[in-house]
Amino acid sequence: MTKISLEPLMPILDKLAPKGRTALLPALQAAQKIYGYVPEQAAVAIANRLHVPLADVHGVLEFYALLYRTPVGKTVIHICADPVCAMAGADTMLKQTSRKFEFHGKHKDKTPTVTIERSPCLGLCEHAPALLVQSTPLVQPESYTWEDLIAGKGKKPRSIIGGDISILTANCRKGQIVWLEDYKAQGGYQALNKVLQMAPQEVIEEVKASGLVGRGGAAFPTGLKWESAAQSTAQPKYVVCNADEAEPGTFKDRVLMENDPHLILEGILIAAYAIGATYGYMYIRGEYEYQYQVMSQAVDEAKKDGLIGNNILQSDFSFELELRQGAGAYICGEETALFESIEGKRGFPRVKPPFPTTAGLFGKPTVINNVETLANVPFIIQKGATEYRKIGTEKSPGPKLFCVSGDVAKPGLYEVPFGVTFRHLLFDLAGGIRNNRTMKAALFGGAAGAFATESDLDVRLTFEDLRVAGLPLGSGVITVFDETRDMRDVLLRLAHFFAEESCGKCYPCQIGTQRQYEILQRLATSSLLPGDLERLQDVGWTMTEASLCGLGQTAASAVLSAIRLWPELFKSHQAH
Amino acid sequence: MTNQITLTIDEKEILVPPGTTILKAAQSVGINIPTICYHDYCTANALCRICVVEVEGARTLVPACVAQVSNNMRVRTNSERVIRARRTILEMLASSVDLSDAPDILAMLQEYQVDTNRFPEAEERKPSVIDDNPMYIRDYAKCILCWRCVQVCATDAQYTFAINFSGRGYETQIGTFYDKPIPETTCVFCGQCVGVCPTGALKPKKQWLLEQGLPPAEIVQLTRFNRSANSRCR
Ligand SMILES: Cc1cc2nc3c(=O)[nH]c(=O)nc-3n(C[C@H](O)[C@H](O)[C@H](O)COP(=O)(O)O)c2cc1C
Ligand code: SF4
Ligand code: SF4
Ligand code: FES
Ligand code: FES
């Protein structure tokens, strides 16, 4: 065991110690920043200072993909190999980067200078193939030298942001971060001001009247959620902003955070006021380091300006917000797993009921909302529910962000009113299929979604129309595949994603995602065994019906939809 | 007098107090729902999902060991959906670990007519036996990840916190801090984990040595409890 000096870690632990176990992830992350990994001695020190059993520290370290128990290279490169990036050549990039590493990294000394990891979707799908060098996203890596690459020098991605309306994305189209001064100059924080003159119940009524439903995937009515938490009698109450965005194909929350951080903060503050919360968390996925920095600066600005803290804008309302970083676990986007993670535990989803609004974070009433959901709130308050309802349809009011990527001419983030057709989004906004090809399929809702085909082009993008069409809206992901794509490879990568990201708690998903992956490996290599189709269906059905949480319940969704659409794909290669 | 809850399970009308689980309500009228991870003295995590039942109006199947009864609930414990889920879960389990020392689960395999070779070419979990202390061995090739050992070692009983999880997903395995041998952990050799293990993954070392065919004298020698002597040979 190499000896390390605990000196740089100790002052950090002194600061975190009073929080106890909830500071475990931040403490481990701090240690990793110092040492490059979490050495045993550091883990012991953390356990002692935070009063967490050693074995539990181990369990947490082992759960999160971005935490390392053993030394890794000075530079860590993550390359996404999920479908969108795979279509853009991620495999070649992985191979070439690894070869370059062999060439440059081997002969100097024995400790690795670079670590290259295959990563799940990095939320950079419109820049595929995506890679992160020490948490910095770079695009077109093939165009720079190896030295520049490992130094993180290179082109930073710029997103295409478009659409028919710009209510949520108005400030995202300016090409620069909208800091507090600019945000206020455009009328920012006036909704908060207005809310502070209202009774909390009035705020809730307004949100209920707006018809806003959650944009994180489950489409639960936001006003009802707030009301339920407001009515819970236990104290304290918490607001949590879910910024763990990791559904393959999704990058909308990233764009909001990196351009318009105060819009999200304003939404969080209004939610807190409405339910009577005095403390909140924003949980940002670990791979979004840059967005975390932006949000941190925005929080600092807001604190200095009296927008976060005691007696906000001279009112009786006080609220503190703590930013948290995830550590590489898709499952931590699931609300109860996210709570466990904030509490300093492995990200295992809890059994529901109880629901978060009665027993959520630390067992207290909690409202958890997605970034985009909260970004809708200032507009609703400012302009009123009636005005808000003029956007979209009767049953799906409001604006919606769609993340369009894959084989389209202009992959990007598009803001539209609910109710436009898929055709409009795909052809008029995203520029149609790349290279004059035709569309074979589009995956709606991310890895947990289902495939649409040409016959779905005229479906209107609303909750009600998509339900009838059997397509999930999910978090607003549409991944497009052209006629030349091998859907077997797409399915294999989706299955790989779920097998990697299953938390392992419940049997159907723990084992089912692995068996599904194995069968799809055979499918991809044309070596299906007799009975594999039935096996795949039984496994998929059982995961859907019997899994504990949404991950397992949707882990077979895309595969089952592919079986319905392209049955021949699963038969042609069976042994004769 | 408490308000009783009325529900039907497999067409039988039942009256039970509020807060009762479907599992206990069924047991009260002699309907047996199979369980694997559930244990009367451990926190219920509803993770094996073998106890799932069909509840009218519910989107998915429901775990009977934690789901509480409600008025006018209609439950079916043996429908086609229930059987399909249970059989598939058991087939998947049999393809993953060695169940030869788990009599209760072996009986279930019979009852649900499980094809134990349903998943050919499946990757099994088969780490080698860990024999690092004089009291018990850990044979995680037999571990079904029911979590009982972790829980009794922690807040369900002993508050020792010697074991937890390594890895995640299919690769999960019960482990110790930085993979230390048991004598270097906080383990107090209370034996509670061995007591609750349903699969023989945790086994008294004496029994294990006997099964290996060792003569008694040697067994006594090998299982003498001596912490310092034991930790010397690391
Ligand atoms: C596996 C899984 C991953 C999820 N990931 C996210 C996520 O990254 N962001 C998010 O907002 N919601 C995610 N959710 C949904 C949350 O559980 C929760 O419903 C949501 O945060 C509620 O916010 P909303 O009502 O504003 O949508 C996920 C759910 C599951 C089952
Ligand atoms: S469904 Fe999957 S992710 Fe969810 S609890 Fe079960 S194993 Fe974990
Ligand atoms: S070792 Fe035994 S008690 Fe522990 S999780 Fe495995 S099967 Fe359950
Ligand atoms: S970043 Fe590669 S698929 Fe999203
Ligand atoms: S016995 Fe109910 S889930 Fe295991």
Side-chain angles (χ1 to χ4, degrees):
Chain A
M1 198 166 63
T2 43
K3 260 237 159 308
I4 54 148
S5 161
L6 289 175
E7 219 169 291
L9 182 61
M10 281 320 195
I12 302 172
L13 292 187
D14 288 341
K15 234 192 274 160
L16 293 175
K19 295 187 183 196
R21 183 157 188 167
T22 175
L24 181 53
L25 219 46
L28 293 169
Q29 286 161 334
Q32 184 156 299
K33 273 223 172 84
I34 297 170
Y35 308 106
Y37 70 109
V38 183
E40 191 183 319
Q41 287 156 273
V44 172
I46 290 168
N48 290 339
R49 289 290 287 167
L50 303 184
H51 299 291
V52 181
L54 285 172
D56 289 27
V57 172
H58 175 86
V60 166
L61 268 169
E62 285 276 315
F63 191 82
Y64 297 94
L66 296 180
L67 294 177
Y68 305 103
R69 272 207 297 127
T70 46
V72 288
K74 264 212 187 67
T75 308
V76 182
I77 301 181
H78 285 100
I79 299 180
C80 165
D82 277 349
V84 180
C85 291
M87 293 193 293
D91 284 358
T92 316
M93 190 160 91
L94 255 170
K95 250 188 241 142
Q96 282 176 350
T97 319
S98 307
R99 212 175 289 140
K100 277 190 187 168
F101 165 60
E102 298 264 302
F103 183 71
H104 288 264
K106 270 282 163 74
H107 29 234
K108 290 181 189 154
D109 59 70
K110 291 226 171 68
T111 50
T113 51
V114 178
T115 296
I116 299 161
E117 293 198 335
R118 173 184 175 166
S119 158
C121 174
L122 294 165
L124 294 163
C125 329
E126 80 277 43
H127 307 295
L131 91 170
L132 283 183
V133 178
Q134 285 297 81
S135 317
T136 306
L138 294 180
V139 288
Q140 297 166 354
E142 63 284 358
S143 55
Y144 352 110
T145 65
W146 174 249
E147 282 72 22
D148 282 352
L149 184 70
I150 55 173
K153 284 191 211 145
K155 260 178 81 182
K156 304 281 181 296
R158 287 210 48 186
S159 304
I160 297 179
I161 303 162
D164 298 330
I165 51 174
S166 56
I167 290 163
L168 304 175
T169 55
N171 281 342
C172 297
R173 304 188 190 193
K174 307 206 154 131
Q176 58 186 44
I177 304 169
V178 175
W179 293 112
L180 184 60
E181 201 184 320
D182 284 345
Y183 185 70
K184 287 213 287 198
Q186 284 143 42
Y189 286 112
Q190 279 177 19
L192 176 66
N193 230 321
K194 188 171 172 187
V195 153
L196 295 175
Q197 324 297 321
M198 297 162 73
Q201 187 55 35
E202 284 178 89
V203 181
I204 293 173
E205 290 306 331
E206 200 65 36
V207 174
K208 272 167 74 180
S210 75
L212 174 65
V213 305
R215 307 291 197 242
F220 190 84
T222 307
L224 281 182
K225 191 184 268 189
W226 292 13
E227 183 164 62
S228 161
Q231 286 169 352
S232 287
T233 47
Q235 292 284 351
K237 294 173 184 175
Y238 295 99
V239 165
V240 177
C241 174
N242 189 341
D244 196 44
E245 184 166 77
E247 183 66 49
T250 319
F251 47 86
K252 63 191 180 67
D253 300 342
R254 188 202 84 222
V255 172
L256 289 173
M257 284 189 275
E258 69 193 16
N259 291 292
D260 202 7
H262 285 285
L263 177 69
I264 305 161
L265 294 183
E266 192 173 4
I268 295 173
L269 284 159
I270 296 171
Y273 178 79
I275 69 154
T278 52
Y279 207 94
Y281 293 85
M282 180 167 181
Y283 188 99
I284 304 171
R285 80 176 288 197
E287 290 84 347
Y288 286 179
E289 171 70 27
Y290 171 71
Q291 291 70 19
Y292 172 78
Q293 298 300 342
V294 173
M295 289 307 309
S296 300
Q297 271 199 48
V299 168
D300 288 345
E301 281 188 316
K303 282 187 179 164
K304 281 206 192 90
D305 209 47
L307 292 157
I308 292 177
N310 286 331
N311 302 100
I312 292 169
L313 300 174
Q314 284 86 51
S315 70
D316 290 338
F317 172 51
S318 300
F319 180 73
E320 281 300 332
L321 182 69
E322 191 176 329
L323 299 185
R324 285 298 182 91
Q325 285 186 285
Y330 165 67
I331 189 57
C332 287
E334 196 279 336
E335 51 196 20
T336 59
L338 191 151
F339 299 153
E340 294 281 306
S341 184
I342 292 179
E343 291 178 15
K345 302 176 189 156
R346 287 167 68 89
F348 286 131
R350 300 174 184 166
V351 171
K352 286 189 263 190
F355 293 99
T357 50
T358 47
L361 184 61
F362 304 114
K364 300 297 181 190
T366 305
V367 157
I368 178 165
N369 276 128
N370 172 254
V371 169
E372 183 188 349
T373 313
L374 291 165
N376 275 270
V377 171
F379 181 93
I380 293 170
I381 298 298
Q382 187 73 337
K383 301 282 162 65
T386 318
E387 207 52 33
Y388 183 81
R389 280 192 161 276
K390 288 184 185 157
I391 311 157
T393 66
E394 165 76 29
K395 288 194 181 120
S396 304
K400 177 73 195 107
L401 301 179
F402 283 95
C403 312
V404 185
S405 65
D407 293 321
V408 291
K410 291 190 281 178
L413 184 69
Y414 295 97
E415 179 174 359
V416 294
F418 273 111
V420 301
T421 62
F422 174 33
R423 188 187 297 279
H424 173 67
L425 176 63
L426 182 58
F427 289 96
D428 303 337
L429 298 177
I433 312 301
R434 248 202 294 251
N435 305 327
N436 291 319
R437 299 217 171 102
T438 57
M439 180 179 92
K440 175 179 278 173
L443 183 57
F444 273 56
F451 291 101
T453 58
E454 290 234 295
S455 64
D456 297 305
L457 276 173
D458 292 309
V459 70
R460 292 192 324 154
L461 301 171
T462 67
F463 289 109
E464 58 276 18
D465 291 86
L466 288 172
R467 193 171 304 127
V468 173
L471 294 169
L473 184 84
S475 46
V477 192
I478 298 184
T479 309
V480 178
F481 305 94
D482 77 26
E483 62 200 303
T484 67
R485 298 302 181 181
D486 181 357
M487 297 316 283
R488 302 178 308 169
D489 183 66
V490 174
L491 294 176
L492 178 65
R493 287 171 197 274
L494 297 179
H496 177 268
F497 173 79
F498 285 114
E500 286 286 312
E501 297 300 332
S502 166
C503 81
K505 180 172 181 175
C506 74
Y507 293 6
C509 168
Q510 172 212 107
I511 311 176
T513 52
Q514 172 68 23
R515 296 292 166 260
Q516 173 172 274
Y517 177 53
E518 288 164 356
I519 298 170
L520 290 171
Q521 276 178 317
R522 295 199 284 267
L523 176 72
T525 52
S526 304
S527 52
L528 279 186
L529 301 170
D532 268 352
L533 176 59
E534 291 72 28
R535 270 180 214 112
L536 204 50
Q537 284 170 316
D538 270 350
V539 170
W541 183 87
T542 304
M543 283 199 282
T544 311
E545 287 280 328
S547 290
L548 188 149
C549 87
L551 189 151
Q553 288 165 8
T554 56
S557 168
V559 174
L560 295 176
S561 110
I563 295 176
R564 282 190 296 272
L565 285 170
W566 308 294
E568 67 287 351
L569 212 57
F570 298 83
K571 286 191 187 123
S572 50
H573 301 283
Q574 266 187 39
H576 299 288
Chain B
M1 124 121 229
T2 52
N3 331 349
Q4 295 276 12
I5 302 268
T6 327
L7 72 157
T8 60
I9 302 184
D10 296 342
E11 314 299 323
K12 272 191 208 169
E13 281 252 337
I14 306 182
L15 267 167
V16 288
T20 310
T21 61
I22 296 176
L23 177 68
K24 295 290 170 197
Q27 275 171 7
S28 74
V29 290
I31 296 172
N32 203 25
I33 297 172
T35 59
I36 292 178
C37 65
Y38 182 81
H39 186 285
D40 273 333
Y41 298 107
C42 294
T43 306
N45 293 303
L47 54 82
C48 76
R49 316 302 279 186
I50 210 70
C51 68
V52 287
V53 294
E54 202 170 330
V55 173
E56 212 173 88
R59 189 171 46 91
T60 55
L61 297 172
V62 170
C65 66
V66 292
Q68 295 182 0
V69 296
S70 61
N71 257 324
N72 305 321
M73 195 181 229
R74 300 179 68 84
V75 180
R76 296 178 64 203
T77 71
N78 251 315
S79 67
E80 235 171 86
R81 280 171 74 202
V82 168
I83 306 258
R84 184 182 182 191
R86 285 188 193 150
R87 180 184 296 137
T88 310
I89 291 169
L90 288 168
E91 283 172 345
M92 292 199 293
L93 195 59
S95 72
S96 307
V97 290
D98 171 7
L99 296 172
S100 60
D101 253 349
D104 293 349
I105 302 176
L106 288 176
M108 272 180 223
L109 298 182
Q110 290 272 321
E111 184 183 344
Y112 288 91
Q113 298 166 9
V114 162
D115 173 1
T116 51
N117 291 318
R118 179 78 199 280
F119 294 95
E121 297 177 21
E123 181 192 319
E124 290 168 65
R125 286 195 293 250
K126 40 180 177 189
S128 25
V129 177
I130 307 176
D131 171 17
D132 62 4
N133 71 79
M135 302 299 281
Y136 60 93
I137 57 97
R138 299 182 287 151
D139 182 3
Y140 291 127
K142 291 182 176 150
C143 172
I144 57 169
L145 296 171
C146 71
W147 292 19
R148 285 183 193 171
C149 55
V150 175
Q151 300 200 129
V152 293
C153 188
T155 51
D156 274 357
Q158 201 63 30
Y159 286 84
T160 316
F161 304 99
I163 46 177
N164 203 274
F165 304 93
S166 293
R168 74 176 182 206
Y170 190 69
E171 311 294 332
T172 311
Q173 190 179 311
I174 307 302
T176 56
F177 180 68
Y178 279 67
D179 308 322
K180 306 254 174 237
I182 287 289
E184 285 178 47
T185 69
T186 48
C187 174
V188 293
F189 298 99
C190 67
Q192 303 240 37
C193 57
V194 181
V196 290
C197 179
T199 61
L202 302 178
K203 199 177 265 185
K205 185 145 170 188
K206 285 195 175 120
Q207 182 188 340
W208 180 68
L209 291 171
L210 244 140
E211 287 169 8
Q212 312 285 305
L214 258 73
E218 223 170 299
I219 292 177
V220 171
Q221 200 59 34
L222 283 166
T223 55
R224 186 164 295 151
F225 186 76
N226 183 340
R227 214 183 232 272
S228 58
N230 191 66
S231 47
R232 194 176 28 116
C233 56
R234 275 189 325 268

